[in-house]
C-alpha cells in the first residue's frame, strides 16, 4: 500500500520531479511545493503520513525549525529531511529537531523510497555512513573547532580582528594606533566597532569573550613591525614638533 506523503523543497522543479517519481511507484503525494517559510504550515494543514522536507543549507541556524514545529503540532507525521551531505552535527541537529530520517539529495529514488517506508514504520531512516559520522563526532567532540569562536571571527574584518587581539593583550588606544600605523581616532573607531559587533560594553568584556571562545587562538600572531617615526609619529599634529 502506498504512503500518503508530501514533498516540500525550496526548488520547485526538484520537488515536482520527486513527487512524480513517487506517484509512479504507487504513493499518494498530497503536494509538491516550495515555500521555505511556509513549509511547516503546509505540512501541518495536510497531515501526511510522511513528509520529505528539503533543505539546501543544513548547517544554517534554524534550518530544522520547520521540523521541530511539525513534530510539535503533528507528532504523528514522520519527517525525512532531504538535503546535501551535512557535517555530522547537521545530522544530529536534524534528529534532535524530531526528524525520522535524513536522505542525501542525490540519492536514487529506491533509496528515497526505503527511507519513506522506514520512517512510516517508526524506524530511523539514515544511511549507515552518515550515521557513523554523526556518532564519531559525538564521541570525539574535542576534535571539532569551536563554532562560537569561528562565528565571531567571521563577523570581524581582518583589521578589526587585529584590534581585538591588541585589546586582549592590554594595549591602549595609543599603542593600538602606533602598532597599526593609524591615527588614534581611527583606532578608537575600530575599537568601538569591535565592541558593537561582539555585543559587549567594554574592552575587558571583549577580551574575555575572545579568550573564552578561542577566537584569539584562531586570529594568529600580530605583526610586530612598528611604523616609521616611532610611537609619537601617529599622534603628532601637522606643523608641531614632538
Amino acid at each position: 500500500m502506498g504512503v500518503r506523503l508530501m514533498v516540500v523543497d525550496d526548488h520547485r522543479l526538484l520537488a515536482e520531479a520527486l513527487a512524480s517519481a513517487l506517484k509512479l511507484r504507487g504513493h499518494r503525494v498530497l503536494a509538491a511545493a516550495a515555500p521555505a517559510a511556509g513549509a511547516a504550515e503546509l505540512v501541518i494543514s495536510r497531515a501526511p503520513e510522511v513528509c520529505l522536507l528539503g533543505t539546501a543549507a543544513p548547517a544554517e541556524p534554524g534550518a530544522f525549525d520547520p521540523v521541530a514545529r511539525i513534530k510539535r503540532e503533528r507528532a504523528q507525521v514522520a519527517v525525512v529531511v532531504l538535503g546535501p551531505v551535512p557535517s555530522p552535527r547537521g545530522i544530529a541537529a536534524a534528529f534532535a529537531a524530531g526528524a525520522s530520517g535524513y536522505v542525501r539529495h542525490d540519492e536514487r529514488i529506491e533509496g528515497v523510497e526505503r527511507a519513506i517506508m522506514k520512517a512510516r514504520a517508526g524506524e530511523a531512516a539514515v544511511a549507515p555512513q552518515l550515521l557513523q559520522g554523526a556518532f564519531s563526532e559525538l564521541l570525539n567532540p574535542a576534535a571539532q573547532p569551536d563554532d562560537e569562536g569561528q562565528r565571531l571571527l567571521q563577523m570581524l574584518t581582518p583589521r578589526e580582528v587585529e584590534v581585538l587581539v591588541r585589546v586582549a593583550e592590554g594595549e591602549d588606544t595609543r599603542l593600538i594606533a602606533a602598532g597599526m600605523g593609524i591615527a588614534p581616532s581611527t583606532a578608537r573607531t575600530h575599537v568601538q566597532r569591535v565592541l558593537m559587533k561582539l555585543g559587549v560594553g567594554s574592552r575587558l568584556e571583549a577580551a574575555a569573550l575572545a579568550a573564552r571562545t578561542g577566537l584569539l587562538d584562531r586570529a594568529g600572531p600580530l605583526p610586530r613591525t612598528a611604523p616609521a617615526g616611532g610611537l609619537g609619529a601617529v599622534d603628532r599634529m601637522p606643523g608641531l614638533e614632538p
Side-chain angles (χ1 to χ4, degrees), residues 21-37:
L22 290 168
K23 284 180 180 178
L24 289 175
R25 300 178 77 88
H27 300 289
R28 293 169 290 164
V29 183
L30 299 183

Side-chain angles (χ1 to χ4, degrees), residues 7-20 29 31-34:
V7 180
V8 183
D9 194 276
D10 289 338
H11 301 285
R12 181 174 294 276
L13 185 61
L14 174 62
E16 291 179 349
L18 184 54
S20 296
V29 183

